[in-house]
Amino acid sequence: MDGCLALGFDQIVFLSMGEPKSNDNAMLHNGEMMMISSSEVVHCSEMLHGDNMVQESEILHGDEMVISGNEMVHGSEMIHGNEMVQVNDMIRSNDMDRVNNMVNGDEMAHGNALVSADLSPPTSSRRRKKKSPVWEHFTIQHVPGDKRCRIACCNLCKGTFAYSSGGKIAGTSHLKRHILQGSCPVIKNQERELALPLAEVAGNVGEGAIERPSKRRYRQTGFANATFDQDRSSLDLAKLIILHEYPLHVVQQPAFTALIGSLQPCFRVSDVDTMEGEVYAVYQKEKHNLLQALSTIPGRMSLTMGLWITSQTLGYVSLVGQFIDTDWRVHRRVLNFTMVASPHSQDALAEAISRSLFDWGMKEKLFAITLDNDCSSHDIYSANLRDHLSNKNGVMLKGQLFVVRCYAHILNAVAQDVIASAHGVIFSIRESIKFIKASDSYDQKFTEIALQLEIPSTKILCLDVTTQWDTTYLMLLAALDFRQVFTILETCDDNYNEAPSAEDWKKVEAASNCLKLLYDSAHSVMAVANPTSDIFFHEAWKLQLELANAAAHEDLVVSSTARDMHESFDKYWKDCNLVLAVAVVMDPRFKMKLVEFSYSKIYGVEAAKYVKVVNDSLHELYKEYLAQPLPARPVYVGQSASGNNNTQTTPPSIGDGLLDFDMYLSEIATAQPSKSELEQYLEEPLTPRSIQEFDILSWWKLNTLRFPTLSKMARDVLAIPMTMVSSIFSAETGIRTLDDYRSSLRPEIVEALVCAKDWLLHSPPASQTQSREMQ
């Protein structure tokens, strides 16, 4: 054969041989080379390997290499293990253990013919430990039912791959690719670096070739190739603390530091002071981004103001700005969370607002401000803020639209009036439900009585949350359906004596009817993600009318319950009906028609007087916007480039001999001045209300060119925040209390935490930010 195997005592050497010679059948013993011609037969059942005897039952093991008696040996190649080894290839000594066993068989191969040999299973062979690093991530398993076939199972994702099928081994290249090239789904999902051992790898592995060492190292991709960035990780940690309101000292907690160490040992966890600096840096960067965005808004901004106090009786003023951008989308951003020495002081609040407007470059862009429902302070705010800010910031319409009261707070205040009017009976119902739910036997008995009475109600009897008036309404609504059950339960159980009387149930029914009005109104407003100011008129005028009718009801129980409600809401209506009416006029589906209709229902014969107030205010406000310059836009027939369409440009002559006719048209236009945008808008037919999913902002966006001045006015009016809280059902109104942890922080850090959280929630995704920075 072209090559022969010489097995020395201390090493294995492959020699490349030429053509067979006459002395190829010579045999050298005890460490010498043994040559066997391809045409000769080895008749012995034993063979000397150095000074050791190799029994015929033993099998040669390399790196999982087996030469069995049933395999064929050709002149130019040898089955080595289950892979083909070319004669010119070389196996280095460090790639295989010393060969302690030699291939033999009871029958030998003659020439090129194959003689089968029955080999007994290996009993005393030793397998070398696999050195390939891939086996740190895979385990060899036998295929159930077929012991000749084995598979490689990934220790991470438990995926299986071909390894050995009888006489053929699949190799390890596909296993390496699974781990190193990110094919393993577990590695893909890991958020930390996966430490993989670096090892020498062979060249291309295929059938007929063995793995050979190479100077190339594993090419790592995916997470294994990621680089650690201390600054980036510290920034992400600061954002995590801000967004989830974690305390700053979380960085010193042992469990947190242990977690970080297990994820990335290289990360140096900052102390509290350093983390404060990181948080403030995030605040400064996001403030700069917001300042740039606010400098480009086309209209004015409206504010909402809230009061906070701390356990140390310090005060904070929160200011939130709302505006509509150039694409006619509503935005709401926290601007400041400033500490003030005297939160109830008139001058302190006005000064805080003025300072905020100056910082954000909004001194000339303030349109309106929304306050809470603290009636005692509202009058002070109204007078003081109008006088202080109107003179400095040029507030529109002499400040008549400047101060707005929060609609959510007025609903909460009225709901609390209803609950207070029926406090006794509500307490009895609450205690009755506690009694029934405290024992399974009582609950079952209550259910049995309801079944016997065949009560068709599907409502569930449950306790309310005293700080959320909507749950109180739902509790009363369910209790009304089971009123008979409560009465019967009291007669048949001596332990229960909290059943309301017939008069009490009348109070519950009256209170429930009044709360339903508030409940439905709140749900209508909350159904809109970013409500514009026009939708609040619909709810306010209906509520004002219903409460007025209920207060005048002939039933004393109903009238007494509704009287206090109407008194509270009527004050809100008188303060805010003008701004509500101006806002709804900007809706092309209603305009002045809905104002006229609703006022006739509320004021009766005096409706015309109130309608005139709204109409005059609209025209006065429009004149103020008309006096402001408009941005450059295309010139259209019938209007000048300045946007003032009271004059008409002279049509050019087209050379058809009708110059006199052109002059005649110009004189008609001069003698009959065109109507203002506001008059044109009000006189046009109403947009059909049958249009599905009507979007008022989209309508104005499409009609900006037709009404350039009126659209500016509509943008500012529709951006007025009629409510300053997202949850209308919360009973928490007026001044709110900052928690003890936030109260202990420095004021600038408190402001950074509150404001940066809001800005991060509204910031664009990181991918968009990176692409913008690259441009």
Side-chain angles (χ1 to χ4, degrees):
M1 53 186 174
D2 293 338
C4 62
L5 176 65
L7 301 178
F9 184 74
D10 293 318
Q11 61 181 359
I12 304 171
V13 181
F14 280 94
L15 300 178
S16 176
M17 305 298 297
E19 294 295 327
K21 298 180 180 181
S22 59
N23 59 350
D24 284 348
N25 57 353
M27 178 178 295
L28 299 181
H29 301 278
N30 293 330
E32 298 176 343
M33 181 173 64
M34 175 177 62
M35 301 294 297
I36 303 176
S37 175
S38 60
S39 61
E40 294 182 358
V41 178
V42 180
H43 295 284
C44 62
S45 61
E46 298 179 351
M47 181 175 290
L48 285 176
H49 175 261
D51 295 329
N52 300 325
M53 294 297 295
V54 181
Q55 299 299 325
E56 66 180 9
S57 61
E58 294 180 341
I59 298 177
L60 176 62
H61 294 275
D63 187 3
E64 292 301 313
M65 296 184 298
V66 180
I67 303 179
S68 302
N70 59 353
E71 295 175 338
M72 181 178 293
V73 180
H74 299 280
S76 59
E77 57 186 25
M78 178 182 294
I79 303 292
H80 182 263
N82 287 317
E83 299 175 352
M84 301 299 295
V85 183
Q86 300 297 329
V87 175
N88 292 329
D89 290 342
M90 179 179 294
I91 299 180
R92 296 180 183 177
S93 60
N94 60 349
D95 286 339
M96 61 184 296
D97 290 341
R98 175 177 301 178
V99 179
N100 295 319
N101 303 316
M102 182 70 70
V103 177
N104 55 48
D106 293 332
E107 299 180 8
M108 299 310 228
H110 294 267
N112 295 325
L114 177 66
V115 180
S116 61
D118 296 331
L119 296 179
S120 60
T123 57
S124 60
S125 63
R126 292 180 299 170
R127 294 174 179 248
R128 68 178 291 272
K129 183 179 179 180
K130 302 181 190 304
K131 291 185 177 181
S132 176
V134 79
W135 299 114
E136 296 181 12
H137 308 282
F138 285 88
T139 303
I140 300 299
Q141 299 178 357
H142 286 279
V143 176
D146 189 352
K147 294 184 177 181
R148 299 177 67 247
C149 296
R150 290 181 293 174
I151 57 176
C153 179
C154 177
N155 298 333
L156 297 176
C157 67
K158 305 305 179 183
T160 57
F161 302 86
Y163 176 68
S164 173
S165 59
K168 181 179 180 180
I169 293 180
T172 59
S173 296
H174 62 305
L175 306 181
K176 297 169 186 173
R177 288 192 296 270
H178 177 73
I179 293 296
L180 297 179
Q181 296 183 2
S183 300
C184 181
V186 175
I187 296 179
K188 285 184 178 179
N189 296 330
Q190 288 178 336
E191 295 181 353
R192 55 189 172 89
E193 293 183 85
L194 179 63
L196 293 177
L198 294 177
E200 301 288 341
V201 296
N204 295 332
V205 179
E207 186 176 359
I210 64 170
E211 295 185 4
R212 296 185 301 171
S214 172
K215 294 183 179 180
R216 294 179 301 155
R217 293 186 179 273
Y218 288 158
R219 185 184 68 174
Q220 301 187 28
T221 59
F223 289 104
N225 200 33
T227 58
F228 170 68
D229 189 336
Q230 171 72 26
D231 295 336
R232 176 62 182 273
S233 298
S234 297
L235 176 64
D236 291 339
L237 177 58
K239 291 181 178 180
L240 176 72
I241 291 175
I242 293 171
L243 288 171
H244 297 279
E245 299 184 3
Y246 295 139
L248 292 172
H249 57 261
V250 69
V251 296
Q252 294 181 335
Q253 295 178 356
F256 178 80
T257 56
L259 174 64
I260 295 298
S262 65
L263 296 177
Q264 176 51 263
C266 297
F267 181 71
R268 302 185 305 276
V269 181
S270 305
D271 55 22
V272 175
D273 293 337
T274 305
M275 189 51 58
E276 276 192 0
E278 295 283 353
V279 168
Y280 200 75
V282 173
Y283 162 77
Q284 291 283 16
K285 180 180 179 181
E286 295 300 324
K287 182 177 182 179
H288 175 72
N289 295 338
L290 181 58
L291 190 61
Q292 288 183 323
L294 293 181
S295 64
T296 63
I297 63 174
R300 291 178 171 250
M301 176 186 288
S302 293
L303 299 177
T304 63
M305 185 179 71
L307 297 180
W308 295 73
I309 60 173
T310 67
S311 54
Q312 292 84 14
T313 67
L314 296 175
Y316 281 87
V317 175
S318 64
L319 293 175
V320 180
Q322 184 162 304
F323 59 94
I324 296 176
D325 64 9
T326 54
D327 200 34
W328 287 87
R329 291 177 297 182
V330 179
H331 296 272
R332 189 182 182 96
R333 297 289 186 274
V334 176
L335 300 181
N336 293 93
F337 197 82
T338 310
M339 190 187 76
V340 292
S342 303
H344 298 282
S345 171
Q346 306 174 26
D347 296 334
L349 295 175
E351 187 62 31
I353 297 174
S354 297
R355 186 168 59 252
S356 175
L357 294 175
F358 177 80
D359 292 341
W360 292 100
M362 292 286 147
K363 291 181 62 178
E364 305 298 328
K365 290 189 174 183
L366 179 62
F367 188 80
I369 183 167
T370 303
L371 306 172
D372 58 35
N373 192 52
D374 188 351
C375 299
S376 61
S377 63
H378 179 266
D379 297 331
I380 298 175
Y381 294 159
S382 300
N384 186 64
L385 291 175
R386 282 192 180 98
D387 295 340
H388 186 87
L389 297 175
S390 298
N391 297 331
K392 295 184 177 182
N393 302 282
V395 175
M396 308 296 292
L397 202 59
K398 299 178 181 179
Q400 296 183 60
L401 308 179
F402 180 68
V403 176
V404 181
R405 296 177 65 188
C406 177
Y407 188 73
H409 283 171
I410 190 60
L411 290 186
N412 289 329
V414 174
Q416 296 306 316
D417 290 340
V418 177
I419 295 174
S421 66
H423 173 73
V425 65
I426 293 176
F427 177 80
S428 297
I429 292 176
R430 190 179 291 126
E431 292 299 316
S432 298
I433 297 177
K434 289 181 182 179
F435 175 82
I436 295 170
K437 296 298 181 181
S439 173
D440 292 339
S441 60
Y442 286 126
D443 194 6
Q444 183 177 0
K445 191 171 186 179
F446 186 90
T447 304
E448 291 175 356
I449 296 175
L451 292 175
Q452 292 175 1
L453 295 176
E454 297 181 353
I455 296 176
S457 177
T458 58
K459 298 181 180 65
I460 300 176
L461 200 64
C462 60
L463 285 171
D464 64 334
V465 179
T466 56
T467 58
Q468 297 178 0
W469 60 265
D470 61 317
T471 62
T472 303
Y473 163 68
L474 296 175
M475 180 185 71
L476 299 180
L477 202 63
L480 281 170
D481 287 351
F482 296 102
R483 67 181 77 180
Q484 293 179 332
V485 181
F486 286 103
T487 303
I488 295 177
L489 181 63
E490 187 177 38
T491 59
C492 64
D493 195 319
D494 295 336
N495 295 323
Y496 173 64
N497 55 7
E498 292 287 347
S501 63
E503 189 66 23
D504 289 338
W505 284 117
K506 288 184 179 181
K507 293 181 181 180
V508 172
E509 188 171 7
S512 179
N513 291 336
C514 291
L515 288 175
K516 183 180 186 303
L517 299 174
L518 307 177
Y519 183 85
D520 293 342
S521 180
H523 269 287
S524 298
V525 172
M526 293 174 62
V528 183
N530 294 307
T532 49
S533 58
D534 59 297
I535 70 172
F536 290 86
F537 182 83
H538 304 274
E539 303 304 323
W541 83 264
K542 290 185 292 185
L543 195 55
Q544 171 72 1
L545 180 62
E546 292 291 343
L547 292 178
N549 293 336
H553 199 278
E554 58 184 10
D555 191 322
L556 294 179
V557 176
V558 175
S559 60
S560 62
T561 302
R563 192 176 297 115
D564 293 337
M565 295 177 60
H566 180 256
E567 183 178 345
S568 298
F569 194 82
D570 185 61
K571 182 173 179 59
Y572 171 84
W573 175 258
K574 290 177 179 178
D575 289 339
C576 300
N577 78 89
L578 178 59
V579 65
L580 292 171
V582 171
V584 81
V585 171
M586 296 296 99
D587 191 329
R589 298 171 298 171
F590 303 104
K591 302 181 181 179
M592 282 295 297
K593 302 301 181 183
L594 182 60
V595 175
E596 297 168 357
F597 172 77
S598 59
Y599 278 18
S600 65
K601 296 287 186 179
I602 296 173
Y603 299 111
V605 294
E606 297 183 351
K609 178 178 65 175
Y610 294 97
V611 172
K612 185 177 184 302
V613 173
V614 176
N615 189 66
D616 292 346
S617 299
L618 273 172
H619 285 79
E620 185 65 26
L621 183 61
Y622 173 75
K623 289 179 181 178
E624 294 186 23
Y625 277 92
L626 192 63
Q628 299 175 3
L630 288 174
R633 57 187 179 83
V635 179
Y636 294 91
V637 176
Q639 62 186 25
S640 64
S642 64
N644 187 348
N645 49 7
N646 289 330
T647 60
Q648 184 174 3
T649 56
T650 302
S653 175
I654 58 177
D656 58 357
L658 295 176
L659 179 60
D660 293 342
F661 178 68
D662 294 335
M663 296 298 298
Y664 170 73
L665 294 178
S666 179
E667 292 175 358
I668 293 178
T670 304
Q672 300 177 356
S674 60
K675 296 179 180 179
S676 67
E677 292 178 21
L678 178 59
E679 292 173 341
Q680 292 181 38
Y681 170 76
L682 294 177
E683 291 179 2
E684 286 182 356
L686 299 179
T687 300
R689 290 185 292 114
S690 59
I691 297 178
Q692 297 293 329
E693 298 181 358
F694 176 80
D695 187 348
I696 185 173
L697 297 181
S698 297
W699 190 93
W700 278 106
K701 180 180 179 180
L702 294 174
N703 289 272
T704 299
L705 293 179
R706 286 207 307 133
F707 305 113
T709 301
L710 191 61
S711 64
K712 289 182 59 179
M713 175 177 155
R715 187 196 305 270
D716 294 341
V717 171
L718 295 175
I720 297 176
M722 301 306 299
T723 179
M724 54 190 298
V725 295
S726 57
S727 177
I728 297 182
F729 297 122
S730 175
E732 183 182 31
T733 58
I735 300 177
R736 286 167 284 181
T737 303
L738 208 62
D739 60 70
D740 292 339
Y741 169 70
R742 294 288 177 93
S743 300
S744 66
L745 299 176
R746 290 183 289 124
E748 58 268 25
I749 299 301
V750 175
E751 183 173 36
L753 290 170
V754 173
C755 295
K757 177 183 178 181
D758 178 78
W759 301 340
L760 288 173
L761 289 173
H762 294 95
S763 61
S767 58
Q768 296 182 13
T769 305
Q770 294 173 359
S771 62
R772 184 172 61 248
E773 293 176 351
M774 294 175 62
Q775 293 177 354

